[in-house]
């Protein structure tokens, strides 16, 4: 692909299920984050933000030259729209940069009742062609999140025919259903997936049975096929293909995962920030480094693929049978303080670790180093050989300088 002139640096857009994750994502390189409010979103189990938390998050983002978007992408039934205008006005006045919507009723309410608040079309609306994007542009939307089923060839064609901003997913979980519009959860657990209650029925483990033609149902026999999952897609990762996205005019690179940990958010934002910066510094000589790929695998919970960008997913993009690659790291803590004179770090524990463990510190800019735990002390400065209690504070000597906000992990 020929490098175009005056390439625009894309925004790195990270998930933020809580205020802590918002600050982490921005600290580790995100240009913008998307959060959920207390209504109209699709992640009822995420740590959705109160207005007070939104205000704090917006201030933090503004201080770091970042933006905050609110996902309000539920499919509304009769009565669900009540209060939407007031909600949109409230978040507009707080300083939210844009709201992400899929339902046309909520789009209309936002545009008419909260003028000045930018609207982005959610991927739930399944926008797959430039005529659709032009329709939404004429309605007043400034950005469209493309359907995850769009190919790279289609991204290029869409960019040629519309000026609306393009947002595309680059990393994270993929839904087995078209653009996430699924009712499996509704039928199997009475939780409405399109109104925030998805129970992820596609991720459940199912038993398979053989049913030869003409066999009575009460004579089912277990299948000889050993499958732990029947409908579970692998995750998306476009780290090796960022030039295609940038050169085809994608304005915002979106990371999935509002319910993922700060370990996940920090690592993924960190890697894509480094990769995008590297590409923009020297597009013609850009190379995707193996260390970036290895870093992403430290937080991957499923196998990775390029989704629909280059071909229609096959059985190789589904989870079945024994795992083909297993995550090898776990998040064990974060740095709260560092004394430059004594080289002692104060750490908040997140998972159990012990003296003698080999651990890795990492921070923004892909700073990282490994060392062995040689000594630990609890808050009473008593020597301990194990940190077993969640969120406990401890101190330990470190072999290289660390910074507040750095993370700690170890091999499982």
């Amino acid at each position: 692909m020929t490098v175009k002139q005056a390439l625009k640096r894309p925004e790195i857009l990270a998930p933020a299920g809580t205020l802590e994750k918002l600050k982490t994502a921005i600290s580790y390189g995100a240009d913008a984050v998307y959060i959920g409010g207390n209504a109209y979103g699709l992640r009822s189990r995420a740590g959705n933000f109160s207005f007070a938390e939104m205000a704090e998050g917006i201030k933090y983002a503004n201080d770091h030259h970042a933006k905050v978007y609110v996902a309000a992408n539920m499919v509304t039934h009769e009565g669900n729209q009540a209060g939407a205008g007031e909600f949109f006005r409230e978040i507009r006045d707080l300083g939210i940069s844009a709201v992400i919507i899929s339902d046309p009723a909520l789009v209309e309410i936002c545009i008419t009742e909260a003028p000045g608040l930018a609207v982005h079309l959610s991927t739930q609306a399944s926008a797959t062609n430039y005529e659709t994007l032009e329709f939404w542009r004429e309605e007043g939307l400034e950005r469209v999140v493309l359907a995850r089923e769009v190919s790279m060839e289609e991204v290029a064609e869409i960019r040629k025919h519309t000026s609306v901003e393009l947002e595309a997913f680059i990393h994270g979980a993929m839904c087995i259903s078209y653009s996430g519009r699924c009712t499996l959860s509704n039928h199997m657990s009475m939780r409405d997936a399109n109104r925030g209650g998805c129970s992820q029925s596609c991720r459940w483990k199912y038993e398979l049975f053989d049913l030869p033609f003409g066999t009575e149902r009460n004579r089912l026999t277990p299948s000889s096929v050993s499958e732990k999952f029947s409908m579970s897609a692998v995750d998306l990762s476009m780290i090796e293909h960022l030039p295609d996205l940038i050169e085809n005019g994608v304005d915002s690179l979106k990371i999935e995962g509002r319910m993922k940990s700060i370990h996940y958010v920090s690592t993924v934002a960190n890697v894509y920030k480094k990769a995008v910066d590297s590409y923009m510094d020297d597009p013609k000589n850009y190379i995707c480094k193996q260390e970036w790929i290895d870093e992403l695998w430290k937080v991957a919970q499923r196998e990775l693929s390029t989704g629909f960008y280059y071909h229609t997913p096959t059985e190789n993009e589904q989870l079945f049978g024994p795992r083909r690659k297993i995550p090898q790291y776990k998040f064990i803590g974060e740095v709260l303080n560092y004394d430059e004179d004594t080289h002692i770090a104060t750490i908040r524990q997140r998972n159990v670790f012990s003296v003698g463990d080999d651990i890795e510190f990492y921070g923004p800019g892909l700073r990282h180093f490994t060392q062995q735990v040689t000594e630990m002390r609890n808050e009473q400065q008593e020597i301990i050989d194990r940190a077993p209690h969640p969120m406990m504070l401890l101190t330990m000597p470190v072999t290289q300088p660390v910074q507040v906000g750095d993370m700690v992990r170890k091999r499982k």
Side-chain angles (χ1 to χ4, degrees):
M1 182 177 291
T2 301
V3 177
K4 298 180 178 67
Q5 297 297 316
L7 286 172
K8 177 183 178 183
R9 186 189 189 280
E11 167 189 271
I12 298 173
L13 176 57
T18 64
L19 188 57
E20 178 188 36
K21 293 173 188 176
L22 178 151
K23 294 178 179 180
T24 297
I26 293 172
S27 296
Y28 277 78
D31 303 295
V33 295
Y34 61 101
I35 67 175
N38 53 20
Y40 311 109
L42 283 184
R43 289 292 182 269
S44 61
R45 289 179 295 155
N48 293 319
F49 284 58
S50 66
F51 291 135
E53 289 172 326
M54 281 188 193
E56 183 176 346
I58 292 166
K59 183 182 185 307
Y60 186 88
N62 290 341
D63 289 344
H64 292 80
H65 310 289
K67 297 180 179 180
V68 180
Y69 309 139
V70 169
N73 51 349
M74 71 180 293
V75 174
T76 59
H77 290 227
E78 287 300 332
N80 292 150
Q81 305 96 323
E86 182 179 354
F87 174 79
F88 291 137
R89 287 192 296 274
E90 182 76 24
I91 64 174
R92 176 200 62 188
D93 295 344
L94 284 173
I96 289 294
S97 296
V99 62
I100 306 166
I101 305 177
S102 64
D103 193 304
L106 291 181
V107 170
E108 185 69 15
I109 291 170
C110 185
I111 290 174
T112 57
E113 298 193 31
L117 177 59
V119 179
H120 297 172
L121 188 72
S122 169
T123 191
Q124 301 290 126
S126 305
T128 56
N129 60 79
Y130 68 81
E131 290 92 342
T132 296
L133 271 68
E134 280 295 284
F135 169 83
W136 287 111
R137 183 185 64 79
E138 292 171 2
E139 289 295 305
L141 275 64
E142 66 177 36
R143 179 185 294 184
V144 170
V145 187
L146 295 173
R148 299 190 204 196
E149 296 77 23
V150 171
S151 69
M152 190 63 68
E153 184 178 353
E154 289 171 327
V155 172
E157 191 67 13
I158 289 170
R159 179 73 291 165
K160 291 177 185 176
H161 291 90
T162 182
S163 61
V164 72
E165 291 183 5
L166 304 182
E167 183 174 305
F169 279 93
I170 58 164
H171 199 92
M174 296 284 283
C175 184
I176 194 66
S177 186
Y178 198 95
S179 294
R181 297 184 299 174
C182 178
T183 59
L184 194 62
S185 173
N186 302 54
H187 291 291
M188 301 190 75
S189 58
M190 301 297 289
R191 287 169 52 175
D192 193 333
N194 295 301
R195 286 195 282 179
C198 182
S199 60
Q200 298 195 29
S201 304
C202 59
R203 303 290 188 188
W204 297 355
K205 296 179 182 179
Y206 294 89
E207 292 188 15
L208 302 182
F209 294 87
D210 289 323
L211 180 60
F213 182 76
T215 303
E216 296 179 9
R217 290 187 179 276
N218 60 4
R219 296 178 60 189
L220 288 174
T221 56
S223 171
S224 60
V225 178
S226 177
E227 291 199 21
K228 290 187 176 180
F229 299 89
S230 305
M231 297 174 284
S232 193
V234 303
D235 286 359
L236 174 69
S237 178
M238 289 294 287
I239 186 61
E240 298 182 67
H241 304 278
L242 286 180
D244 286 353
L245 292 160
I246 298 171
E247 292 166 19
N248 282 315
V250 174
D251 298 281
S252 180
L253 306 176
K254 188 169 192 173
I255 300 164
E256 182 275 339
R258 274 196 287 144
M259 296 178 67
K260 299 286 182 66
S261 68
I262 60 172
H263 180 212
Y264 171 90
V265 170
S266 60
T267 300
V268 178
N270 213 4
V271 169
Y272 281 99
K273 160 74 170 173
K274 190 73 170 181
V276 169
D277 285 350
S278 178
Y279 176 82
M280 297 306 296
D281 286 344
D282 190 1
K284 291 183 179 180
N285 296 306
Y286 171 81
I287 296 174
C288 178
K289 296 182 179 180
Q290 184 61 42
E291 66 185 83
W292 302 340
I293 300 171
D294 294 341
E295 192 77 4
L296 290 176
W297 273 108
K298 293 177 181 179
V299 294
Q301 295 302 306
R302 306 183 184 97
E303 292 156 48
L304 303 174
S305 79
T306 56
F308 286 83
Y309 281 115
Y310 299 104
H311 62 83
T312 301
T314 68
E315 69 276 8
N316 294 320
E317 283 74 47
Q318 295 296 112
L319 295 175
F320 62 91
R323 293 200 62 157
R324 287 162 274 182
K325 191 163 184 176
I326 300 173
Q328 297 180 334
Y329 284 80
K330 70 176 181 179
F331 175 45
I332 61 169
E334 59 188 310
V335 176
L336 299 185
N337 188 48
Y338 172 65
D339 190 313
E340 295 182 356
D341 296 326
T342 62
H343 307 296
I344 297 294
T346 302
I347 295 171
R348 177 186 288 128
Q349 185 260 39
R350 293 298 185 109
N351 269 301
V352 177
F353 65 102
S354 305
V355 170
D357 285 347
D358 291 323
I359 62 175
E360 179 184 33
F361 287 86
Y362 72 94
L366 288 185
R367 293 181 292 101
H368 60 86
F369 69 93
T370 58
Q371 71 165 69
Q372 187 177 79
V373 180
T374 57
E375 178 186 308
M376 292 191 293
R377 294 177 181 268
N378 60 20
E379 286 189 82
Q380 289 73 43
Q381 289 302 300
E382 299 167 333
I383 294 177
I384 56 176
D385 60 8
R386 190 166 177 264
H389 305 301
M391 306 299 283
M392 68 179 291
L393 297 182
L394 57 97
T395 56
M396 60 179 289
V398 291
T399 59
Q400 296 185 33
V402 294
Q403 297 177 16
V404 174
D406 284 359
M407 305 289 177
V408 196
R409 58 188 166 209
K410 76 167 187 174
R411 284 186 177 272
K412 293 184 179 179

